[in-house]
Amino acid sequence: MSLFLSVVSVGKAVEVVRGIAPPLESGDVPLENALHRVLAEDIRADIDIPGFDRSTVDGYAVIATDTTGASEAIPAMLSCRGRVGMGSADAGSITPGSCCYVPTGGALPRGADAAVMIEHAEQIGDDVLVHRSVAPGENVITRGEDFRAGTVVLERGRVLSPRDIGVAAAIGADRVTVAAVPRVGIISTGNEVVPVTATPGPGEVRDANSYLAGAFVTERGCRPVYFGIVRDEREALKAAVSSALDTCDVVLVSGGSSKDERDNTAAVVADLGEVLVHGVALAPGKPTIIGTARGRPVIGLPGHPASTFVVLVAIVDHLLAAMRGTAVSRRTLSARLKQNIPSTRGREDYVRVSVRDGEAVPIFGKSGLLNTLVQSDGIVRVPASSEGLEVGEEVEVILW
C-alpha cells in the first residue's frame, strides 16, 4: 500500500487506463441491431451513389445553355418531349431546344445537364416557357456525386447514429462488423451501504454509486453487470472482484479506496494482480485506484457519489472509449465565470457549476453531498498549473 499518496496527474492516470484497455472481439450484426454500436471495420460503397444523374426538384430537365437570358419578360421556349417516370429504366434523351418533365429524384434524360424548377416554368401544350435561367449542374445530382464505388463511407471507430444506419442501408450494408459491447462489473463496498429499497438506519446510506456508475457506463455504450454490496471484509471483496473478472471486461469498485484500515480495494487488487496507481492529483477523487487483474482493468472509485462521478468523467470515460475504439465524446459550452474559483497548484480541480444566461455559477459543496449533482449542469476543469480561475474569465463547461 506504499503506492498511496504517490499521486499521479490526471493526464498520467488517463495514459495508464488507456494503456490497460483490453482489446474487444468484433462480429457481424444485422444493420437493424447496429444502432450506437462501434464499427470495427470501414464500410465502403459497393456502387456509385447515386447510380444515375438525377433531379433534386420537380421540374424540367434541360440543357442549361438553352435557358441563357430567360426571364419573366422574355422566357425561353422549349419543346417538351414527355415525362420521366420514377424508377424508369430508360429516361430517354433530349437535344438542344427541347426538355422533359422530371420529378424529384427522377433520372435525367441523356443530354440534360440541369433542371428548371416547375415554379419557374409554364407548360402550354407541347411547349414549355422557362422564366429563369439555370447553370450547368443546377438542381441535379450527378452519378457518384454522393459516394463513389469503393470509397469509405463510414470509418472504423464510428459510433453508429440513426443517420449512419440510413446511409449504410443506402449502400447495401445489411450487416456490419462492430466491436463487442464491453461488460462492466460494478461492486459497492462498505458496512454502511444498504440497498436502495431499504430505509437507512443510523450511520447507513443507500447504494447510490452502483446506479450512478451503471447509468454512466450504459450511456457510453457499455453493459453494466451488478454484483451487489460487499461488506468491508478483504476476503469477501476478493471473492466478489474475482467473480466479476470471470465474466466482465473491466471492474469498478466504489468505496474502500482511501487510507482507512478497512479500505480493502487496493489490497484486493494487489492480491489478484497489480496496483498501478493509488492516488490521483484530482479533487474530488484523490483516492482513485487503477490496477489490473487477469489482464483486465480494476478501478477503485471513491465512496462519495459526487467524487465518483468526477472520476468517471475524468478517467473512466477514457478507459471505456479506448476499449470501444472511439474518442471521448463530450458536450461542452463556453461561459463566463460568475465568481472566483480558488484552487491549489499541482491538483486538477473539477468544480460543479450551473449555467444561466451564458454565466457559469460555481456550486461549492462537499464531495459527500448529492444536491450538487442535481443542481449543476456540468463541471469546470481547473488545470493543475493554475491557482484558480477569476470572475469574468471564459471557461469551458463539460456538460453532464
Side-chain angles (χ1 to χ4, degrees), residues 31 43 153-154 160 162-174 176:
L31 184 59
I43 297 179
V153 177
L154 299 169
L160 292 173
R163 303 180 304 281
D164 299 329
I165 297 296
V167 170
I171 61 172
D174 63 321
V176 294

Side-chain angles (χ1 to χ4, degrees), residues 40-87:
E41 294 181 0
D42 293 339
I43 297 179
R44 297 177 180 270
D46 62 338
I47 58 173
D48 287 341
I49 304 291
F52 53 90
D53 297 342
R54 63 192 301 185
S55 174
T56 62
V57 299
D58 290 330
Y60 294 89
V62 300
I63 298 170
T65 54
D66 283 344
T67 70
T68 302
S71 66
E72 290 289 342
I74 308 176
M77 181 178 288
L78 304 175
S79 173
C80 185
R81 291 195 172 179
R83 304 169 66 93
V84 174
M86 287 297 292

Side-chain angles (χ1 to χ4, degrees), residues 184-253:
V184 182
I186 297 174
I187 301 170
S188 280
T189 68
N191 293 340
E192 76 283 8
V193 182
V194 297
V196 296
T197 53
T199 300
E204 295 180 332
V205 295
R206 290 190 176 104
D207 178 21
N209 282 357
S210 285
Y211 294 86
L212 177 66
F216 182 88
V217 302
T218 298
E219 191 175 56
R220 275 128 183 100
C222 303
R223 182 175 298 123
V225 182
Y226 299 96
F227 287 86
I229 302 166
V230 179
R231 294 183 61 80
D232 289 320
E233 298 170 1
R234 183 164 171 171
E235 290 306 312
L237 180 57
K238 184 175 179 179
V241 172
S242 182
S243 178
L245 289 169
D246 287 339
T247 57
C248 297
D249 302 294
V250 58
V251 180
L252 304 180
V253 182

Side-chain angles (χ1 to χ4, degrees), residues 138-183:
E138 189 168 343
N139 298 324
V140 301
I141 296 176
T142 59
R143 175 175 180 149
E145 184 175 336
D146 213 349
F147 301 110
R148 287 286 184 188
T151 59
V152 174
V153 177
L154 299 169
E155 68 282 0
R156 176 182 179 181
R158 188 181 185 95
V159 180
L160 292 173
S161 69
R163 303 180 304 281
D164 299 329
I165 297 296
V167 170
I171 61 172
D174 63 321
R175 297 185 68 84
V176 294
T177 304
V178 295
V181 176
R183 292 170 57 88

Side-chain angles (χ1 to χ4, degrees), residues 37-389:
R37 299 292 295 273
V38 179
L39 275 182
E41 294 181 0
D42 293 339
I43 297 179
R44 297 177 180 270
D46 62 338
I47 58 173
D48 287 341
I49 304 291
F52 53 90
D53 297 342
R54 63 192 301 185
S55 174
T56 62
V57 299
D58 290 330
Y60 294 89
V62 300
I63 298 170
T65 54
D66 283 344
T67 70
T68 302
S71 66
E72 290 289 342
I74 308 176
M77 181 178 288
L78 304 175
S79 173
C80 185
R81 291 195 172 179
R83 304 169 66 93
V84 174
M86 287 297 292
S88 174
D90 185 1
S93 63
I94 62 171
T95 55
S98 66
C99 65
C100 187
Y101 178 82
V102 61
T104 300
L108 287 186
R110 292 180 298 280
D113 63 359
V116 174
M117 294 177 67
I118 196 170
E119 295 91 334
H120 303 147
E122 178 185 1
Q123 185 164 358
I124 302 175
D126 291 334
D127 294 324
V128 174
L129 302 180
V130 177
H131 297 288
R132 181 178 294 182
S133 65
V134 291
E138 189 168 343
N139 298 324
V140 301
I141 296 176
T142 59
R143 175 175 180 149
E145 184 175 336
D146 213 349
F147 301 110
R148 287 286 184 188
T151 59
V152 174
V153 177
L154 299 169
E155 68 282 0
R156 176 182 179 181
R158 188 181 185 95
V159 180
L160 292 173
S161 69
R163 303 180 304 281
D164 299 329
I165 297 296
V167 170
I171 61 172
D174 63 321
R175 297 185 68 84
V176 294
T177 304
V178 295
V181 176
R183 292 170 57 88
V184 182
I186 297 174
I187 301 170
S188 280
T189 68
N191 293 340
E192 76 283 8
V193 182
V194 297
V196 296
T197 53
T199 300
E204 295 180 332
V205 295
R206 290 190 176 104
D207 178 21
N209 282 357
S210 285
Y211 294 86
L212 177 66
F216 182 88
V217 302
T218 298
E219 191 175 56
R220 275 128 183 100
C222 303
R223 182 175 298 123
V225 182
Y226 299 96
F227 287 86
I229 302 166
V230 179
R231 294 183 61 80
D232 289 320
E233 298 170 1
R234 183 164 171 171
E235 290 306 312
L237 180 57
K238 184 175 179 179
V241 172
S242 182
S243 178
L245 289 169
D246 287 339
T247 57
C248 297
D249 302 294
V250 58
V251 180
L252 304 180
V253 182
S254 75
S257 61
S258 66
K259 294 185 294 181
D260 187 276
E261 62 182 7
R262 293 184 299 108
D263 293 333
N264 296 306
T265 303
V268 166
V269 174
D271 287 346
L272 296 174
E274 180 182 9
V275 176
L276 302 174
V277 172
H278 191 180
V280 179
L282 171 67
K286 180 179 179 180
T288 299
I289 296 167
I290 302 171
T292 60
R294 299 188 204 165
R296 298 175 178 85
V298 181
I299 310 297
L301 304 171
H304 295 310
S307 298
T308 289
F309 200 64
V310 166
V311 174
L312 290 170
V313 171
I315 298 173
V316 176
D317 208 2
H318 293 272
L319 170 62
L320 301 181
M323 291 173 65
R324 299 178 75 213
T326 66
V328 170
S329 177
R330 289 176 174 166
R331 296 182 305 119
T332 63
L333 59 79
S334 295
R336 297 280 179 185
L337 265 186
K338 184 71 171 177
Q339 66 186 91
N340 293 338
I341 296 179
S343 182
T344 300
R345 189 182 295 275
R347 181 186 70 192
E348 198 164 296
D349 281 355
Y350 284 75
V351 180
R352 285 138 277 171
V353 297
S354 64
V355 181
R356 298 291 182 273
D357 300 323
E359 292 186 320
V361 182
I363 300 176
F364 297 111
K366 299 174 182 178
S367 58
L369 297 178
L370 296 171
N371 58 31
T372 60
L373 291 178
V374 294
Q375 292 172 1
S376 59
D377 298 301
I379 51 179
V380 169
R381 171 183 168 272
V382 183
S385 59
S386 171
E387 292 184 351
L389 303 175

